[in-house]
Amino acid sequence: MMTTVANEHVPVIDPAPVVIRAEGLCKTYRMGDVDVRALRDASLEIRKGEMVAVMGPSGSGKSTLMNIMGCLDQPTSGEYWLDGTATSQLTDDELATIRNKRIGFVFQQFNLLARTTAVEQVELPLLYAGASQRRKRAMEALARVQLTDRWHHRPTELSGGQQQRVAIARALVNDPAIILADEPTGALDTRTSEDVMAIFQELNREGITVIFVTHELDIAEHTRRSVRLSDGRIVRDEPVPVERQRIARRVHEAPVVAT
Amino acid sequence: MNFFVTVRMALRALGANKLRAALTMLGVIIGVAAVIALMSIGRGIQASIQGQIQSLGSNLLFISPGAQTAGNVRSQAGTSPSLTYEDALAIIDTGRVPQALAVAPETGGFAQIVSGGKNVNVRVTGITPDYEQVRNFHAIDGDFITRDHIETRALVAVIGATTRTNLFGDGEAVGQVIRVNQQGVAANLRVVGVLEPKGSGFGGNQDDVVLVPLTTQFTRLSRNRTSRGGFTVSSVNVQLMDETAETANAAVQSIGDLLRERHRAAQDDFTIRSQQDLLNTATQITGAITLFLGAVAGISLLVGGIGIMNIMLVSVTERTREIGIRKAIGAKRRDIMVQFLIESIVVSVVGGGIGIAIGGGGASMLDGISFGPGPKLMTIVGLDAILLAFGVSAAIGLFFGVYPAIRAARLNPIEALRYE
């Protein structure tokens, strides 16, 4: 169930620091004999604490942009700065460290490891970070997505929404500055989507920059800014009108009285 | 990344496909078990041959005549009638070889032996009483050859345990008369003793022998004489006072000097070998056998290793998506590589451990089994063979795991995530 309310939270006072800056990103894939230009001269700036929806039809370059922003991929030309660091000069291992510590990924297909319990899934990024107190921190992350009671369940024993919440816990366990979500509700029903969106909004209120890829308008309305891509170009970049912004509510919680 | 966590992860990944992991392991198990078993058999052969050489009596030197030379043709060593009974006696009597305790010259040949209705072909060896001490070969029934027998050229014989059974079955042997026919020279000998059983060795069954006084062999059973009129012997065993290499070397030197003087030959017409020489030769030969057996088994271990590599490559392909996920959440190349390497090492080390148990157990079960009338099979499971097999199997896991692991580590995260 979704409600449209005026957003009285987080008035923009001082411009927050820029965490993501893309300048003239181009990405060309070679598929067989054809060059596919997934991104053409895309430029973008996202500040700390923003919640942004990246929209567009399939093949418009949304996922490519996400992959570059998430340091999974490198642009063919153009430059991408994350926290002021130009990523084109970084090695594979430095990019891996950024993915591990600065960025949390959430995927449409959850991308959990098979035969691995929820808490172990969440521990993985900590493991690669060489962190201590992994079990405790993983349990805390699971608590934030309200899955404490499911910590020892494997993906096959969890519903879609629960799997996505495990994936979110995994994304936020290393306290990333940015969460990148590629159609996180694409495989979920409306009710569960609402639940997942509520978690994202909560994380955003805590100061984490959240960026979505989606092609569902009502999902995009859970954010405050939407960036529209078409044929690899950014064709529109505008705030979501205040009257359309939605606040999601956690369905499994006692109803919260809207303020 | 934490080592134990990685091992647990590897075990879980292997547990996901137990049959496949077990079959992959089987290759290593068979290889390692074969290496252990065959090397144990090789070691057993080595030990049993060494034991036989040592059972000849310790601290021995063996003198044999040189090769006969006719014109410029040199024939096989030991064929020249250059070594005599008198040479043997001189080693002790002249006092020039203080290291020598006793000498046991011997000579003989195969002879037809008839007793009652039985007719057997046995090696007849002429010996002196010192043979008993030098070769550590005693009579269990009756007496050994005595000094009196030598001096009187007595028509007596001491027979081996097998010969006794062949001729007399379970009946009494001592006191019986046997007719010995050696190349046309025949004599009737009275059996005075039966030897203790010693088992087979090289040179045939040591228990199928007939020992006669050396002088009897010379005068009543053959007509061999040197050009100088002495009795020729086919070999002289010299017992030394101790087992040290210095004693052996000094004795070889003194005996050599003495014989060269006595023979006045331009070239040495004799060969002196110490027991150590025999042992060294035998060790070399059996070492080569062990190595050969190990190498044959090693091939199957290699095949097992290739099996690991094959399965690891399949596993990397199957788990492309998993690798993509891990990379997306921050796994470095090294993390992925270590993960797959540990998986292959776990397969090979666990397989190696099981193989060692099977190979060692199998070898122990074979220990003491006899095939036919020959000597019993002896196996020795050496700690070095176990450590070697274990080390090799771990190395194989590492070696054959490296390529699949590198392939996994190099995967592009986006392509890996897209992989269906």
Side-chain angles (χ1 to χ4, degrees):
Chain A
M1 182 193 297
M2 301 200 182
T3 32
T4 308
V5 294
N7 182 12
E8 287 141 315
H9 308 278
V10 204
V12 179
I13 308 160
D14 265 335
V18 173
V19 284
I20 283 176
R21 189 172 145 227
E23 202 78 60
L25 293 185
C26 292
K27 181 73 188 182
T28 309
Y29 294 107
R30 203 165 171 82
M31 288 182 92
D33 294 337
V34 194
D35 279 337
V36 179
R37 299 178 67 186
L39 276 183
R40 311 180 190 204
D41 194 26
S43 299
L44 186 70
E45 241 183 44
I46 295 173
R47 291 174 186 278
K48 183 172 179 349
E50 279 197 84
M51 192 157 180
V52 181
V54 176
M55 304 192 63
S58 45
S60 60
K62 317 185 286 288
S63 292
T64 307
L65 181 63
M66 284 297 260
N67 287 340
I68 292 173
M69 286 197 292
C71 294
L72 278 169
D73 205 354
Q74 297 271 37
T76 314
S77 68
E79 185 57 274
Y80 169 55
W81 289 267
L82 185 84
D83 281 338
T85 310
T87 55
S88 60
Q89 303 305 316
L90 299 178
T91 64
D92 273 7
D93 280 357
E94 285 166 333
L95 291 173
T97 305
I98 288 179
R99 291 197 293 270
N100 184 239
K101 301 209 164 137
R102 307 281 307 145
I103 297 168
F105 282 100
V106 179
F107 302 92
Q108 180 179 3
Q109 294 304 329
F110 322 138
N111 277 345
L112 299 176
L113 298 185
R115 293 176 298 275
T116 306
T117 61
V119 72
E120 285 171 325
Q121 311 265 9
V122 180
E123 279 178 359
L124 264 184
L126 296 170
L127 204 62
Y128 289 125
S132 57
Q133 291 192 297
R134 294 191 289 269
R135 181 56 53 108
K136 181 171 161 280
R137 289 177 62 183
M139 288 305 287
E140 283 166 7
L142 281 174
R144 285 171 82 177
V145 296
Q146 312 208 321
L147 269 181
T148 315
D149 54 332
R150 299 276 171 159
W151 65 276
H152 61 281
H153 287 229
R154 295 164 211 283
T156 46
E157 301 158 352
L158 295 170
S159 71
Q162 287 168 337
Q163 290 187 52
Q164 194 60 300
R165 273 148 66 195
V166 172
I168 294 170
R170 184 178 68 185
L172 58 83
V173 71
N174 253 342
D175 293 325
I178 303 162
I179 286 187
L180 291 173
D182 195 347
E183 305 207 29
T185 58
L188 303 176
D189 60 45
T190 324
R191 217 174 123 82
T192 325
S193 296
E194 167 101 2
D195 192 24
V196 166
M197 291 313 295
I199 295 171
F200 281 124
Q201 287 188 333
E202 213 168 275
L203 295 173
N204 180 240
R205 274 198 291 277
E206 289 166 17
I208 300 176
T209 311
V210 179
I211 303 166
F212 285 107
V213 163
T214 183
H215 53 248
E216 292 167 78
L217 198 60
D218 54 342
I219 292 297
E221 285 170 352
H222 288 84
T223 67
R224 292 192 300 278
R225 174 180 170 191
S226 86
V227 173
R228 184 168 285 274
L229 279 155
S230 179
D231 282 336
R233 289 179 216 278
I234 294 178
V235 293
R236 216 160 60 203
D237 183 353
E238 58 190 12
V240 175
V242 170
E243 66 277 10
R244 303 203 56 152
Q245 287 182 6
R246 295 177 183 213
I247 305 278
R249 274 193 304 174
R250 293 199 167 188
V251 284
H252 53 279
E253 278 180 319
V256 178
V257 179
T259 47
Chain B
M1 210 164 68
N2 187 299
F3 176 76
F4 292 102
V5 178
T6 318
V7 170
R8 223 170 47 216
M9 226 145 70
L11 288 175
R12 179 183 301 142
L14 295 170
N17 209 328
K18 291 191 185 64
L19 180 64
R20 183 198 284 179
L23 288 174
T24 312
M25 243 174 233
L26 194 60
V28 182
I29 292 172
I30 290 173
V32 169
V35 167
I36 296 276
L38 290 182
M39 281 185 75
S40 302
I41 291 171
R43 284 286 155 71
I45 292 172
Q46 192 160 10
S48 109
I49 288 179
Q50 280 171 356
Q52 277 166 18
I53 291 174
Q54 266 147 3
S55 79
L56 294 176
S58 51
N59 51 39
L60 290 188
L61 288 185
F62 307 96
I63 311 171
S64 41
Q68 197 160 29
T69 310
N72 281 323
V73 182
R74 189 180 157 88
S75 57
Q76 197 190 341
T79 52
S80 161
S82 57
L83 199 61
T84 64
Y85 180 44
E86 290 73 22
D87 287 337
L89 296 179
I91 290 171
I92 297 293
D93 295 348
T94 58
R96 297 218 358 217
V97 189
Q99 299 86 358
L101 278 186
V103 291
E106 61 177 77
T107 189
F110 279 90
Q112 209 63 34
I113 313 243
V114 183
S115 178
K118 302 277 172 50
N119 187 332
V120 292
N121 189 273
V122 180
R123 186 169 176 84
V124 173
T125 307
I127 53 143
T128 60
D130 283 344
Y131 187 90
E132 180 179 15
Q133 174 196 341
V134 173
R135 295 292 293 265
N136 193 24
F137 207 178
H138 308 282
I140 46 163
D141 198 4
D143 302 312
F144 204 75
I145 306 290
T146 64
R147 297 241 163 258
D148 274 351
H149 293 147
I150 295 286
E151 277 161 26
T152 59
R153 300 172 185 183
L155 289 168
V156 295
V158 176
I159 62 176
T162 304
T163 317
R164 170 235 159 98
T165 310
N166 289 347
L167 286 175
F168 306 112
D170 293 333
E172 183 61 47
V174 176
Q176 301 276 1
V177 172
I178 55 176
R179 181 162 184 83
V180 176
N181 186 334
Q182 194 172 40
Q183 289 162 359
V185 188
N188 287 332
L189 305 183
R190 186 168 48 85
V191 176
V192 294
V194 178
L195 294 165
E196 60 184 337
K198 268 212 158 181
S200 296
F202 42 165
N205 187 345
Q206 295 184 65
D207 294 330
D208 199 9
V209 290
V210 169
L211 302 181
V212 300
L214 189 62
T215 47
T216 310
Q217 163 72 16
F218 287 145
T219 54
R220 314 270 181 133
L221 291 171
S222 68
R223 302 184 189 96
N224 287 345
R225 296 249 170 164
T226 62
S227 45
R228 292 191 294 276
F231 295 117
T232 62
V233 293
S234 61
S235 88
V236 178
N237 307 305
V238 182
Q239 188 181 25
L240 303 178
M241 60 189 190
D242 60 48
E243 296 174 25
T244 60
E246 295 83 59
T247 306
N249 291 339
V252 168
Q253 188 63 44
S254 318
I255 294 170
D257 288 345
L258 176 69
L259 293 182
R260 270 186 285 275
E261 222 170 87
R262 287 176 59 85
H263 293 184
R264 294 191 196 91
Q267 262 185 325
D268 276 4
D269 52 1
F270 57 88
T271 314
I272 309 174
R273 281 172 304 153
S274 64
Q275 196 181 20
Q276 196 55 47
D277 292 337
L278 285 183
L279 268 180
N280 290 348
T281 311
T283 305
Q284 254 176 20
I285 293 170
T286 52
I289 293 172
T290 305
L291 199 68
F292 172 73
L293 290 176
V296 169
I299 291 171
S300 61
L301 196 52
L302 184 76
V303 174
I306 293 170
I308 290 185
M309 180 147 146
N310 190 10
I311 286 304
M312 289 311 293
L313 283 173
V314 171
S315 172
V316 167
T317 308
E318 275 184 357
R319 287 153 66 193
T320 300
R321 196 177 173 84
E322 175 196 324
I323 295 164
I325 295 170
R326 289 177 183 276
K327 286 200 151 188
I329 61 173
K332 297 188 174 75
R333 283 187 173 194
R334 200 176 54 100
D335 296 325
I336 302 290
M337 193 164 142
V338 165
Q339 183 192 342
F340 280 89
L341 265 187
I342 289 200
E343 261 176 54
S344 65
I345 291 174
V346 163
V347 168
S348 65
V349 165
V350 172
I354 298 173
I356 286 169
I358 292 178
S364 309
M365 272 162 55
L366 287 177
D367 194 22
I369 285 182
S370 58
F371 299 98
K376 282 186 176 129
L377 183 69
M378 194 168 150
T379 59
I380 293 174
V381 185
L383 184 67
D384 53 346
I386 289 176
L387 291 178
L388 182 79
F390 202 70
V392 166
S393 56
I396 274 182
L398 191 66
F399 181 79
F400 289 102
V402 161
Y403 176 66
I406 286 178
R407 277 226 336 205
R410 283 202 185 139
L411 283 176
N412 176 319
I414 298 185
E415 282 165 24
L417 276 172
R418 278 207 205 109
Y419 187 86
E420 294 301 327

